[in-house]
Structure formats: C-alpha cells, structure tokens
Amino acid sequence: MDTVITTNSEQETETLGQTVGELLFPGAVLLLDGNLGAGKTAFARGVARGLGVTKPVQSPTFTILYAHSGRLAFYHFDLYRLEDEQELLDIGIDEYLDDEGVSLVEWAGKFPTFFTMPSMYITIVRGQGEDVREIKFSAGEERYRQLLTELLARS
Ligand SMILES: Nc1ncnc2c1ncn2[C@@H]1O[C@H](COP(=O)(O)OP(=O)(O)OP(=O)(O)O)[C@@H](O)[C@H]1O
Ligand SMILES: [Mg+2]
C-alpha cells in the first residue's frame, strides 16, 4: 500500500510527522529516505512530538543515534556517515530495532539489503516549488497499512 502526501512547508511536514507519531505502536520502525535537505529531520521532529518527547530533537548526523523518551522510547538514527553494514552492527542497531521503542532511521536507503524487518518506508522528494515536498509512504505488513489508513483519515 503506497500513498503520497504533499506538504508545502517545513511546519506541515512536522505536523504530518506528529500525526504519525501519535499513531505509532510499540516496536514500530520508520525508514526514511531522501536527499540532503529533503526534510527527514523535520519529519522526525514531528514524530518525536507525536510520541510525547519534550526535549529538542537535533539531527544525529555526527552521533548516529539519539535516544529520547516519550510515550514510547524514540531511537533516532542518521546513517549518512556510515559506509557499510558492519558499522550498523557495531552500533548495535539490531537491539534498537527489536526493542519496544520506536526506531526512525534517516538515510535507510544507503543499506537496501539490511532493513528487512516489517517497517514503514517513507521517501521525501522535492516537488515543484522551493517548499514543496512529496512524502511517499509504503506499508507492507498489516499494522503499518492500518497506520497509513488512519493517517489518511486524519490528514
Ligand atoms: N515542505 C517542507 N518540508 C520539510 N522541510 C522543508 C519543506 N520546505 C522547505 N523545507 C526546508 O528544507 C530543509 C529540510 O531540512 P532537514 O534537516 O529536515 O532535511 P534532512 O532530509 O534531514 O537533511 P539531511 O539529509 O541533511 O539530514 C529545512 O531547511 C526546511 O526549512
Ligand atoms: Mg536530517
């Protein structure tokens, strides 16, 4: 099941992320893809807010992972600086992905064969106009399809 939602500002992307955050379930995995400056971190900030995270969300580009606590734990990854799958294993990503918290992974598309667990795949591309973004959601497994159906009902 695929859906594209268009946003026209950073704020709209955050709000969309927030709605997703409100709908997330324990153990959910969100895989984000999109070029530099697409809006992945903006979306992640919204997800954090929707999960009830109160501390500010920064981009984990240099740290690879920031962990936050909200209604559920929130594990925010940025794989931009990683080169191979062994580095993913070295940071213990498997344990976070298997955890009851929510994992959100920026630059997941760098490792196309690694993320085989059930997940929501989210690709952000620029649209026509400086502030336009097309956010494509792909859901395979049932819980993620339900989440997407609920998201469409709310947006
Ligand atoms: N509709 C929009 N949604 C999100 N961001 C937007 C939108 N329109 C403009 N922007 C701008 O695009 C930039 C998005 O930056 P952000 O850090 O979220 O991107 P990113 O995909 O995480 O980049 P990186 O790959 O460097 O981590 C911000 O400067 C934001 O103001
Ligand atoms: Mg980012």
Side-chain angles (χ1 to χ4, degrees), residues 5-37:
I5 297 177
T6 301
T7 66
N8 297 290
S9 67
E10 181 173 15
Q11 185 53 51
E12 271 185 44
T13 297
E14 281 197 39
T15 302
L16 183 63
Q18 181 173 348
T19 306
V20 170
E22 289 166 2
L23 295 170
L24 284 170
F25 47 85
V29 176
L30 302 179
L31 302 177
L32 266 71
D33 215 353
N35 290 336
L36 280 171

PDB file of all heavy atoms in Angstrom, residues 5-37:
ATOM      1  N   ILE A   5       1.687  12.067   0.186  1.00  0.00           N
ATOM      2  CA  ILE A   5       1.096  13.258   0.786  1.00  0.00           C
ATOM      3  C   ILE A   5       2.039  14.423   0.505  1.00  0.00           C
ATOM      4  O   ILE A   5       3.245  14.327   0.744  1.00  0.00           O
ATOM      5  CB  ILE A   5       0.877  13.082   2.302  1.00  0.00           C
ATOM      6  CG1 ILE A   5      -0.121  11.936   2.551  1.00  0.00           C
ATOM      7  CG2 ILE A   5       0.367  14.389   2.933  1.00  0.00           C
ATOM      8  CD1 ILE A   5      -0.368  11.614   4.020  1.00  0.00           C
ATOM      9  N   THR A   6       1.505  15.501  -0.025  1.00  0.00           N
ATOM     10  CA  THR A   6       2.306  16.683  -0.360  1.00  0.00           C
ATOM     11  C   THR A   6       2.250  17.684   0.785  1.00  0.00           C
ATOM     12  O   THR A   6       1.175  17.952   1.328  1.00  0.00           O
ATOM     13  CB  THR A   6       1.775  17.336  -1.654  1.00  0.00           C
ATOM     14  OG1 THR A   6       1.845  16.381  -2.701  1.00  0.00           O
ATOM     15  CG2 THR A   6       2.609  18.557  -2.034  1.00  0.00           C
ATOM     16  N   THR A   7       3.412  18.219   1.168  1.00  0.00           N
ATOM     17  CA  THR A   7       3.433  19.308   2.151  1.00  0.00           C
ATOM     18  C   THR A   7       4.011  20.552   1.482  1.00  0.00           C
ATOM     19  O   THR A   7       4.765  20.460   0.524  1.00  0.00           O
ATOM     20  CB  THR A   7       4.257  18.954   3.398  1.00  0.00           C
ATOM     21  OG1 THR A   7       5.644  18.812   3.032  1.00  0.00           O
ATOM     22  CG2 THR A   7       3.769  17.670   4.052  1.00  0.00           C
ATOM     23  N   ASN A   8       3.654  21.700   2.024  1.00  0.00           N
ATOM     24  CA  ASN A   8       4.058  22.982   1.429  1.00  0.00           C
ATOM     25  C   ASN A   8       4.917  23.834   2.346  1.00  0.00           C
ATOM     26  O   ASN A   8       5.199  24.984   2.032  1.00  0.00           O
ATOM     27  CB  ASN A   8       2.803  23.762   1.018  1.00  0.00           C
ATOM     28  CG  ASN A   8       2.025  23.026  -0.061  1.00  0.00           C
ATOM     29  OD1 ASN A   8       2.470  22.931  -1.197  1.00  0.00           O
ATOM     30  ND2 ASN A   8       0.905  22.444   0.309  1.00  0.00           N
ATOM     31  N   SER A   9       5.323  23.270   3.473  1.00  0.00           N
ATOM     32  CA  SER A   9       6.216  23.992   4.385  1.00  0.00           C
ATOM     33  C   SER A   9       6.840  22.986   5.344  1.00  0.00           C
ATOM     34  O   SER A   9       6.332  21.867   5.523  1.00  0.00           O
ATOM     35  CB  SER A   9       5.437  25.037   5.197  1.00  0.00           C
ATOM     36  OG  SER A   9       4.541  24.385   6.083  1.00  0.00           O
ATOM     37  N   GLU A  10       7.935  23.419   5.976  1.00  0.00           N
ATOM     38  CA  GLU A  10       8.564  22.587   6.997  1.00  0.00           C
ATOM     39  C   GLU A  10       7.559  22.268   8.107  1.00  0.00           C
ATOM     40  O   GLU A  10       7.492  21.144   8.609  1.00  0.00           O
ATOM     41  CB  GLU A  10       9.780  23.331   7.553  1.00  0.00           C
ATOM     42  CG  GLU A  10      10.528  22.568   8.614  1.00  0.00           C
ATOM     43  CD  GLU A  10      11.830  23.268   9.009  1.00  0.00           C
ATOM     44  OE1 GLU A  10      12.019  24.450   8.677  1.00  0.00           O
ATOM     45  OE2 GLU A  10      12.656  22.608   9.658  1.00  0.00           O
ATOM     46  N   GLN A  11       6.781  23.286   8.482  1.00  0.00           N
ATOM     47  CA  GLN A  11       5.789  23.105   9.539  1.00  0.00           C
ATOM     48  C   GLN A  11       4.783  22.010   9.191  1.00  0.00           C
ATOM     49  O   GLN A  11       4.426  21.175  10.026  1.00  0.00           O
ATOM     50  CB  GLN A  11       5.071  24.439   9.804  1.00  0.00           C
ATOM     51  CG  GLN A  11       4.103  24.403  10.978  1.00  0.00           C
ATOM     52  CD  GLN A  11       4.769  23.889  12.250  1.00  0.00           C
ATOM     53  OE1 GLN A  11       5.818  24.387  12.625  1.00  0.00           O
ATOM     54  NE2 GLN A  11       4.181  22.873  12.869  1.00  0.00           N
ATOM     55  N   GLU A  12       4.342  21.993   7.933  1.00  0.00           N
ATOM     56  CA  GLU A  12       3.380  20.964   7.518  1.00  0.00           C
ATOM     57  C   GLU A  12       3.997  19.570   7.595  1.00  0.00           C
ATOM     58  O   GLU A  12       3.322  18.602   7.957  1.00  0.00           O
ATOM     59  CB  GLU A  12       2.918  21.218   6.080  1.00  0.00           C
ATOM     60  CG  GLU A  12       1.707  22.123   5.966  1.00  0.00           C
ATOM     61  CD  GLU A  12       1.219  22.238   4.519  1.00  0.00           C
ATOM     62  OE1 GLU A  12       1.140  21.206   3.814  1.00  0.00           O
ATOM     63  OE2 GLU A  12       0.955  23.369   4.100  1.00  0.00           O
ATOM     64  N   THR A  13       5.277  19.487   7.251  1.00  0.00           N
ATOM     65  CA  THR A  13       5.956  18.185   7.327  1.00  0.00           C
ATOM     66  C   THR A  13       6.064  17.737   8.784  1.00  0.00           C
ATOM     67  O   THR A  13       5.857  16.556   9.100  1.00  0.00           O
ATOM     68  CB  THR A  13       7.352  18.274   6.670  1.00  0.00           C
ATOM     69  OG1 THR A  13       7.173  18.583   5.285  1.00  0.00           O
ATOM     70  CG2 THR A  13       8.129  16.975   6.807  1.00  0.00           C
ATOM     71  N   GLU A  14       6.368  18.668   9.668  1.00  0.00           N
ATOM     72  CA  GLU A  14       6.428  18.327  11.095  1.00  0.00           C
ATOM     73  C   GLU A  14       5.070  17.873  11.612  1.00  0.00           C
ATOM     74  O   GLU A  14       4.973  16.910  12.378  1.00  0.00           O
ATOM     75  CB  GLU A  14       6.893  19.553  11.903  1.00  0.00           C
ATOM     76  CG  GLU A  14       8.384  19.778  11.843  1.00  0.00           C
ATOM     77  CD  GLU A  14       8.860  20.722  12.951  1.00  0.00           C
ATOM     78  OE1 GLU A  14       8.348  20.628  14.091  1.00  0.00           O
ATOM     79  OE2 GLU A  14       9.735  21.542  12.657  1.00  0.00           O
ATOM     80  N   THR A  15       4.042  18.574  11.195  1.00  0.00           N
ATOM     81  CA  THR A  15       2.693  18.212  11.647  1.00  0.00           C
ATOM     82  C   THR A  15       2.304  16.817  11.151  1.00  0.00           C
ATOM     83  O   THR A  15       1.699  16.029  11.889  1.00  0.00           O
ATOM     84  CB  THR A  15       1.681  19.271  11.163  1.00  0.00           C
ATOM     85  OG1 THR A  15       2.080  20.534  11.686  1.00  0.00           O
ATOM     86  CG2 THR A  15       0.273  18.948  11.629  1.00  0.00           C
ATOM     87  N   LEU A  16       2.683  16.516   9.919  1.00  0.00           N
ATOM     88  CA  LEU A  16       2.417  15.173   9.379  1.00  0.00           C
ATOM     89  C   LEU A  16       3.166  14.124  10.208  1.00  0.00           C
ATOM     90  O   LEU A  16       2.615  13.082  10.580  1.00  0.00           O
ATOM     91  CB  LEU A  16       2.853  15.131   7.914  1.00  0.00           C
ATOM     92  CG  LEU A  16       2.606  13.836   7.151  1.00  0.00           C
ATOM     93  CD1 LEU A  16       1.113  13.535   7.050  1.00  0.00           C
ATOM     94  CD2 LEU A  16       3.211  13.931   5.752  1.00  0.00           C
ATOM     95  N   GLY A  17       4.431  14.429  10.519  1.00  0.00           N
ATOM     96  CA  GLY A  17       5.208  13.521  11.365  1.00  0.00           C
ATOM     97  C   GLY A  17       4.563  13.358  12.733  1.00  0.00           C
ATOM     98  O   GLY A  17       4.535  12.256  13.291  1.00  0.00           O
ATOM     99  N   GLN A  18       4.025  14.447  13.254  1.00  0.00           N
ATOM    100  CA  GLN A  18       3.387  14.382  14.565  1.00  0.00           C
ATOM    101  C   GLN A  18       2.186  13.436  14.550  1.00  0.00           C
ATOM    102  O   GLN A  18       2.001  12.627  15.470  1.00  0.00           O
ATOM    103  CB  GLN A  18       2.944  15.785  14.991  1.00  0.00           C
ATOM    104  CG  GLN A  18       2.302  15.793  16.369  1.00  0.00           C
ATOM    105  CD  GLN A  18       2.020  17.200  16.861  1.00  0.00           C
ATOM    106  OE1 GLN A  18       2.493  18.175  16.274  1.00  0.00           O
ATOM    107  NE2 GLN A  18       1.250  17.294  17.931  1.00  0.00           N
ATOM    108  N   THR A  19       1.390  13.520  13.492  1.00  0.00           N
ATOM    109  CA  THR A  19       0.235  12.622  13.394  1.00  0.00           C
ATOM    110  C   THR A  19       0.708  11.171  13.341  1.00  0.00           C
ATOM    111  O   THR A  19       0.146  10.299  14.009  1.00  0.00           O
ATOM    112  CB  THR A  19      -0.604  12.971  12.147  1.00  0.00           C
ATOM    113  OG1 THR A  19      -0.942  14.347  12.200  1.00  0.00           O
ATOM    114  CG2 THR A  19      -1.870  12.126  12.097  1.00  0.00           C
ATOM    115  N   VAL A  20       1.755  10.911  12.570  1.00  0.00           N
ATOM    116  CA  VAL A  20       2.322   9.553  12.532  1.00  0.00           C
ATOM    117  C   VAL A  20       2.765   9.152  13.944  1.00  0.00           C
ATOM    118  O   VAL A  20       2.467   8.044  14.406  1.00  0.00           O
ATOM    119  CB  VAL A  20       3.493   9.464  11.540  1.00  0.00           C
ATOM    120  CG1 VAL A  20       4.233   8.142  11.672  1.00  0.00           C
ATOM    121  CG2 VAL A  20       2.998   9.651  10.109  1.00  0.00           C
ATOM    122  N   GLY A  21       3.449  10.070  14.630  1.00  0.00           N
ATOM    123  CA  GLY A  21       3.926   9.778  15.986  1.00  0.00           C
ATOM    124  C   GLY A  21       2.800   9.404  16.929  1.00  0.00           C
ATOM    125  O   GLY A  21       2.948   8.528  17.782  1.00  0.00           O
ATOM    126  N   GLU A  22       1.659  10.062  16.762  1.00  0.00           N
ATOM    127  CA  GLU A  22       0.511   9.760  17.634  1.00  0.00           C
ATOM    128  C   GLU A  22      -0.052   8.375  17.357  1.00  0.00           C
ATOM    129  O   GLU A  22      -0.664   7.758  18.227  1.00  0.00           O
ATOM    130  CB  GLU A  22      -0.581  10.834  17.425  1.00  0.00           C
ATOM    131  CG  GLU A  22      -0.179  12.193  18.005  1.00  0.00           C
ATOM    132  CD  GLU A  22      -1.068  13.337  17.517  1.00  0.00           C
ATOM    133  OE1 GLU A  22      -2.031  13.090  16.757  1.00  0.00           O
ATOM    134  OE2 GLU A  22      -0.766  14.491  17.896  1.00  0.00           O
ATOM    135  N   LEU A  23       0.152   7.898  16.125  1.00  0.00           N
ATOM    136  CA  LEU A  23      -0.435   6.609  15.723  1.00  0.00           C
ATOM    137  C   LEU A  23       0.519   5.431  15.925  1.00  0.00           C
ATOM    138  O   LEU A  23       0.110   4.278  15.772  1.00  0.00           O
ATOM    139  CB  LEU A  23      -0.825   6.676  14.236  1.00  0.00           C
ATOM    140  CG  LEU A  23      -1.928   7.674  13.869  1.00  0.00           C
ATOM    141  CD1 LEU A  23      -2.029   7.816  12.353  1.00  0.00           C
ATOM    142  CD2 LEU A  23      -3.262   7.223  14.450  1.00  0.00           C
ATOM    143  N   LEU A  24       1.775   5.711  16.246  1.00  0.00           N
ATOM    144  CA  LEU A  24       2.770   4.638  16.294  1.00  0.00           C
ATOM    145  C   LEU A  24       2.532   3.650  17.441  1.00  0.00           C
ATOM    146  O   LEU A  24       2.021   4.020  18.489  1.00  0.00           O
ATOM    147  CB  LEU A  24       4.177   5.231  16.418  1.00  0.00           C
ATOM    148  CG  LEU A  24       4.728   5.825  15.125  1.00  0.00           C
ATOM    149  CD1 LEU A  24       5.999   6.606  15.412  1.00  0.00           C
ATOM    150  CD2 LEU A  24       4.984   4.734  14.106  1.00  0.00           C
ATOM    151  N   PHE A  25       2.949   2.439  17.196  1.00  0.00           N
ATOM    152  CA  PHE A  25       2.766   1.336  18.150  1.00  0.00           C
ATOM    153  C   PHE A  25       4.136   0.853  18.622  1.00  0.00           C
ATOM    154  O   PHE A  25       5.161   1.117  17.964  1.00  0.00           O
ATOM    155  CB  PHE A  25       1.984   0.194  17.484  1.00  0.00           C
ATOM    156  CG  PHE A  25       2.486  -0.166  16.118  1.00  0.00           C
ATOM    157  CD1 PHE A  25       3.543  -1.060  15.959  1.00  0.00           C
ATOM    158  CD2 PHE A  25       1.931   0.429  14.979  1.00  0.00           C
ATOM    159  CE1 PHE A  25       4.017  -1.380  14.702  1.00  0.00           C
ATOM    160  CE2 PHE A  25       2.426   0.113  13.708  1.00  0.00           C
ATOM    161  CZ  PHE A  25       3.459  -0.796  13.577  1.00  0.00           C
ATOM    162  N   PRO A  26       4.193   0.138  19.743  1.00  0.00           N
ATOM    163  CA  PRO A  26       5.488  -0.335  20.259  1.00  0.00           C
ATOM    164  C   PRO A  26       6.247  -1.160  19.214  1.00  0.00           C
ATOM    165  O   PRO A  26       5.661  -2.012  18.557  1.00  0.00           O
ATOM    166  CB  PRO A  26       5.090  -1.202  21.462  1.00  0.00           C
ATOM    167  CG  PRO A  26       3.779  -0.664  21.903  1.00  0.00           C
ATOM    168  CD  PRO A  26       3.075  -0.221  20.632  1.00  0.00           C
ATOM    169  N   GLY A  27       7.522  -0.854  19.088  1.00  0.00           N
ATOM    170  CA  GLY A  27       8.370  -1.623  18.180  1.00  0.00           C
ATOM    171  C   GLY A  27       8.330  -1.168  16.735  1.00  0.00           C
ATOM    172  O   GLY A  27       8.976  -1.783  15.882  1.00  0.00           O
ATOM    173  N   ALA A  28       7.595  -0.114  16.454  1.00  0.00           N
ATOM    174  CA  ALA A  28       7.471   0.340  15.058  1.00  0.00           C
ATOM    175  C   ALA A  28       8.824   0.804  14.512  1.00  0.00           C
ATOM    176  O   ALA A  28       9.655   1.341  15.248  1.00  0.00           O
ATOM    177  CB  ALA A  28       6.454   1.466  14.950  1.00  0.00           C
ATOM    178  N   VAL A  29       9.019   0.590  13.223  1.00  0.00           N
ATOM    179  CA  VAL A  29      10.247   1.002  12.535  1.00  0.00           C
ATOM    180  C   VAL A  29       9.872   1.886  11.344  1.00  0.00           C
ATOM    181  O   VAL A  29       9.083   1.481  10.485  1.00  0.00           O
ATOM    182  CB  VAL A  29      11.046  -0.234  12.034  1.00  0.00           C
ATOM    183  CG1 VAL A  29      12.270   0.193  11.229  1.00  0.00           C
ATOM    184  CG2 VAL A  29      11.453  -1.123  13.208  1.00  0.00           C
ATOM    185  N   LEU A  30      10.434   3.094  11.317  1.00  0.00           N
ATOM    186  CA  LEU A  30      10.208   4.026  10.208  1.00  0.00           C
ATOM    187  C   LEU A  30      11.523   4.228   9.479  1.00  0.00           C
ATOM    188  O   LEU A  30      12.520   4.656  10.076  1.00  0.00           O
ATOM    189  CB  LEU A  30       9.710   5.384  10.727  1.00  0.00           C
ATOM    190  CG  LEU A  30       8.429   5.399  11.559  1.00  0.00           C
ATOM    191  CD1 LEU A  30       8.112   6.831  11.991  1.00  0.00           C
ATOM    192  CD2 LEU A  30       7.256   4.825  10.765  1.00  0.00           C
ATOM    193  N   LEU A  31      11.561   3.894   8.197  1.00  0.00           N
ATOM    194  CA  LEU A  31      12.776   4.020   7.390  1.00  0.00           C
ATOM    195  C   LEU A  31      12.607   5.224   6.483  1.00  0.00           C
ATOM    196  O   LEU A  31      11.690   5.261   5.655  1.00  0.00           O
ATOM    197  CB  LEU A  31      12.985   2.749   6.574  1.00  0.00           C
ATOM    198  CG  LEU A  31      13.086   1.453   7.397  1.00  0.00           C
ATOM    199  CD1 LEU A  31      13.217   0.247   6.457  1.00  0.00           C
ATOM    200  CD2 LEU A  31      14.257   1.515   8.369  1.00  0.00           C
ATOM    201  N   LEU A  32      13.490   6.210   6.635  1.00  0.00           N
ATOM    202  CA  LEU A  32      13.365   7.443   5.851  1.00  0.00           C
ATOM    203  C   LEU A  32      14.463   7.561   4.817  1.00  0.00           C
ATOM    204  O   LEU A  32      15.622   7.245   5.081  1.00  0.00           O
ATOM    205  CB  LEU A  32      13.421   8.677   6.768  1.00  0.00           C
ATOM    206  CG  LEU A  32      12.055   9.194   7.227  1.00  0.00           C
ATOM    207  CD1 LEU A  32      11.432   8.242   8.229  1.00  0.00           C
ATOM    208  CD2 LEU A  32      12.176  10.588   7.811  1.00  0.00           C
ATOM    209  N   ASP A  33      14.056   8.039   3.658  1.00  0.00           N
ATOM    210  CA  ASP A  33      14.969   8.213   2.555  1.00  0.00           C
ATOM    211  C   ASP A  33      14.694   9.568   1.911  1.00  0.00           C
ATOM    212  O   ASP A  33      13.596  10.096   2.039  1.00  0.00           O
ATOM    213  CB  ASP A  33      14.708   7.094   1.537  1.00  0.00           C
ATOM    214  CG  ASP A  33      15.972   6.645   0.874  1.00  0.00           C
ATOM    215  OD1 ASP A  33      17.012   7.269   1.081  1.00  0.00           O
ATOM    216  OD2 ASP A  33      15.893   5.649   0.139  1.00  0.00           O
ATOM    217  N   GLY A  34      15.673  10.105   1.242  1.00  0.00           N
ATOM    218  CA  GLY A  34      15.511  11.415   0.615  1.00  0.00           C
ATOM    219  C   GLY A  34      16.828  12.151   0.669  1.00  0.00           C
ATOM    220  O   GLY A  34      17.624  11.957   1.585  1.00  0.00           O
ATOM    221  N   ASN A  35      17.052  13.040  -0.290  1.00  0.00           N
ATOM    222  CA  ASN A  35      18.327  13.737  -0.424  1.00  0.00           C
ATOM    223  C   ASN A  35      18.605  14.662   0.757  1.00  0.00           C
ATOM    224  O   ASN A  35      17.741  14.898   1.591  1.00  0.00           O
ATOM    225  CB  ASN A  35      18.325  14.566  -1.707  1.00  0.00           C
ATOM    226  CG  ASN A  35      18.380  13.691  -2.936  1.00  0.00           C
ATOM    227  OD1 ASN A  35      18.854  12.560  -2.860  1.00  0.00           O
ATOM    228  ND2 ASN A  35      17.892  14.189  -4.050  1.00  0.00           N
ATOM    229  N   LEU A  36      19.810  15.208   0.772  1.00  0.00           N
ATOM    230  CA  LEU A  36      20.184  16.235   1.751  1.00  0.00           C
ATOM    231  C   LEU A  36      19.137  17.346   1.739  1.00  0.00           C
ATOM    232  O   LEU A  36      18.790  17.856   0.670  1.00  0.00           O
ATOM    233  CB  LEU A  36      21.532  16.848   1.364  1.00  0.00           C
ATOM    234  CG  LEU A  36      22.799  16.082   1.721  1.00  0.00           C
ATOM    235  CD1 LEU A  36      24.000  16.749   1.062  1.00  0.00           C
ATOM    236  CD2 LEU A  36      22.973  16.041   3.226  1.00  0.00           C
ATOM    237  N   GLY A  37      18.655  17.699   2.904  1.00  0.00           N
ATOM    238  CA  GLY A  37      17.709  18.808   2.990  1.00  0.00           C
ATOM    239  C   GLY A  37      16.306  18.485   2.528  1.00  0.00           C
ATOM    240  O   GLY A  37      15.473  19.379   2.356  1.00  0.00           O
TER     241      GLY A  37
END
